[in-house]
Amino acid sequence: MGDTPTDHPDFPELPATAWALLGLLSFDREMSGYDLRKWADNSIALFYWSPAPSQIYAELRRLEQLGLVTSRPEPGDNRKKRLFAITPEGTVALTAWLAHSDPGPPVLKHGLALRAWLGHLAEPSRLRQLVIEHRDQMRELAEQAATVAERGREQGWRHPTVVIDWSSRYYTAQAELADELLADLQRLEEVGDS
Amino acid sequence: MGDTPTDHPDFPELPATAWALLGLLSFDREMSGYDLRKWADNSIALFYWSPAPSQIYAELRRLEQLGLVTSRPEPGDNRKKRLFAITPEGTVALTAWLAHSDPGPPVLKHGLALRAWLGHLAEPSRLRQLVIEHRDQMRELAEQAATVAERGREQGWRHPTVVIDWSSRYYTAQAELADELLADLQRLEEVGDS
DNA sequence: GGGAGCATGTAACGGGTTACATGATTGG
DNA sequence: CCAATCATGTAACCCGTTACATGCTCCC
């Protein structure tokens, strides 16, 4: 993962998911696992995927055992809901992780690119259709990111907003790249078969 | 993964890694597991990561059991080397997979973005340094992709070259996005603390 | 009353990694 | 001859997903 290869004394070795969750809690809001999932879905998910619910709860239990978060049942409510909050030790650990861990190269798994790479075995029209669908998805994501960024700006989340803006630009760039890919594929067909 | 949720009769359900390996073999060259790793490292890795050697061999064994590839010991050489080749059934399965599987959205895990998102807990200079390193890495990858594309062009690999060109543009775009992120972060500092 | 969303969790599984082991071949 | 690379593989481990189970609460 994006952790330090050699373990650093200041923070435990944890999967990036754990740090992401801690990060969500670092804005000093008590949140349930369910809330965390929703938040993750329209913020972190834009540049770092979103874990399954089951793993969120598992990871929260681990973080609590380590003393990096605390939880308490929702007061005045006899539901099963639990609210999680970051502890001072949690903030220390997260800060140390930010200061000393290696981000590593970004991981990209681009299913469409893989298929286009094997284009000699695919029907050209099918391939073009896939690229077009992908481009439209990227456009939607760019818009989604833009609205999320707007909400962040209003809330005064400064760093998050900068990154979500970055995400929005990322997805617009992706859409443009898809269009260029489409053009290249079309040119390829006009010349002849491979 | 990027496979079909409902299983299709034309091809078995396999992890994307397996299809990627089959794809490498679909250019009608006999290759060893070792060769496949090298090939993957400077082609598929640019848009779809590169699996560990141990998994390559495991996946090849599975593909052979399914009859999608065959292997034979290197002739005239008593080393342990084995050469793998795709079978007609393998080509059929790969073609069907291309025709019917869903690529799904690209998966991005951007460790740097995650850290910048938590910038309120990081030292600004450290953050800037990380972004700069990342930008330089992206530039290097763009160049690497460009040279790989050139080799592909000479060899006449048409679709692969188109996709590697796409990769090169992707990484240059990434580098530019990093520069914009850097500027945004700098602007943020000049205004005040969060 | 009933369905949609809220809320948390268990169990099984698998893909992929790391670490390690082994030995052969090639080049300086 | 010795190091680097070639070449293949085993074993342990764990992250993360899928599928499933459970029950509550809100609102029409």
Side-chain angles (χ1 to χ4, degrees):
Chain A
M1 303 293 129
D3 298 334
T4 42
T6 68
D7 42 1
H8 199 89
D10 294 350
F11 58 92
E13 287 220 17
L14 289 171
T17 307
W19 299 114
L21 289 174
L22 248 194
L24 281 167
L25 290 169
S26 75
F27 295 93
D28 290 329
R29 286 213 183 154
E30 277 189 324
M31 296 170 81
S32 67
Y34 199 85
D35 294 331
L36 283 164
R37 168 143 179 81
K38 281 190 303 179
W39 258 79
D41 273 350
N42 55 48
S43 60
I44 295 183
L46 290 167
F47 51 85
Y48 211 95
W49 108 107
S50 199
S54 57
Q55 201 186 354
I56 292 183
Y57 294 110
E59 216 63 66
L60 285 172
R61 279 195 293 275
R62 164 154 58 177
L63 287 172
E64 190 166 22
Q65 273 199 333
L66 291 171
L68 306 185
V69 306
T70 26
S71 77
R72 57 175 185 122
E74 166 116 330
D77 199 336
N78 42 11
R79 267 189 290 180
K80 270 203 287 182
K81 192 170 177 178
R82 296 186 69 78
L83 294 180
F84 291 85
I86 195 169
T87 63
E89 298 84 32
T91 308
V92 169
L94 182 56
T95 307
W97 178 75
L98 275 171
H100 302 297
S101 71
D102 177 14
V107 174
L108 179 66
K109 289 172 96 170
H110 207 291
L112 175 67
L114 179 58
R115 282 158 179 83
W117 192 76
L118 295 170
H120 63 293
L121 292 178
E123 215 166 329
S125 64
R126 153 86 173 161
L127 211 52
R128 264 178 295 149
Q129 177 205 341
L130 285 179
V131 177
I132 289 173
E133 283 170 13
H134 168 253
R135 182 202 55 192
D136 294 342
Q137 283 169 23
M138 294 300 103
R139 281 185 186 160
E140 279 175 39
L141 279 171
E143 279 182 45
Q144 187 192 331
T147 70
V148 170
E150 216 41 56
R151 284 217 309 276
R153 225 180 303 277
E154 292 163 11
Q155 293 278 319
W157 310 129
R158 298 167 23 90
H159 287 276
T161 303
V162 164
V163 174
I164 302 293
D165 275 335
W166 172 89
S167 295
S168 182
R169 288 194 293 265
Y170 173 87
Y171 287 112
T172 9
Q174 281 274 39
E176 287 166 12
L177 285 170
D179 271 326
E180 295 177 32
L181 177 58
L182 199 59
D184 276 0
L185 288 174
Q186 219 124 20
R187 215 167 298 140
L188 227 141
E189 279 178 61
E190 286 159 16
V191 180
D193 289 1
S194 75
Chain B
M1 302 290 128
D3 298 335
T4 42
T6 68
D7 43 1
H8 200 89
D10 295 351
F11 58 92
E13 287 221 17
L14 289 171
T17 307
W19 298 114
L21 289 174
L22 249 194
L24 281 167
L25 290 169
S26 76
F27 295 94
D28 289 329
R29 287 213 182 153
E30 277 189 323
M31 297 170 80
S32 67
Y34 199 86
D35 294 330
L36 283 165
R37 169 143 178 81
K38 282 190 304 179
W39 258 79
D41 273 351
N42 55 48
S43 59
I44 294 183
L46 290 167
F47 50 86
Y48 211 94
W49 107 106
S50 199
S54 56
Q55 202 186 355
I56 291 183
Y57 293 110
E59 217 63 66
L60 285 172
R61 279 195 293 277
R62 164 155 57 178
L63 287 171
E64 189 166 21
Q65 275 198 333
L66 291 171
L68 306 185
V69 305
T70 25
S71 77
R72 57 174 185 125
E74 167 117 328
D77 198 337
N78 41 11
R79 267 189 290 180
K80 270 202 287 181
K81 191 170 176 178
R82 297 184 69 78
L83 295 180
F84 291 84
I86 195 168
T87 62
E89 300 83 32
T91 308
V92 169
L94 183 56
T95 307
W97 179 75
L98 275 171
H100 302 298
S101 72
D102 177 14
V107 174
L108 179 66
K109 290 173 96 169
H110 207 290
L112 175 67
L114 179 58
R115 283 159 180 82
W117 191 75
L118 297 170
H120 63 293
L121 292 178
E123 215 166 329
S125 64
R126 154 86 173 159
L127 211 51
R128 264 177 296 150
Q129 178 205 342
L130 285 180
V131 177
I132 290 172
E133 284 171 13
H134 168 253
R135 180 202 55 190
D136 295 342
Q137 282 169 24
M138 295 299 103
R139 281 185 186 160
E140 279 176 39
L141 278 171
E143 278 181 45
Q144 187 192 330
T147 70
V148 170
E150 216 40 57
R151 285 218 309 274
R153 226 180 302 278
E154 291 163 11
Q155 292 278 320
W157 309 130
R158 302 173 12 98
H159 288 276
T161 303
V162 164
V163 174
I164 302 293
D165 275 335
W166 173 89
S167 295
S168 182
R169 288 195 294 265
Y170 173 87
Y171 287 113
T172 16
Q174 281 275 42
E176 288 166 12
L177 285 170
D179 272 326
E180 296 177 30
L181 177 59
L182 199 59
D184 277 0
L185 289 174
Q186 221 125 18
R187 213 167 301 141
L188 225 139
E189 278 178 63
E190 285 160 16
V191 181
D193 290 0
S194 74

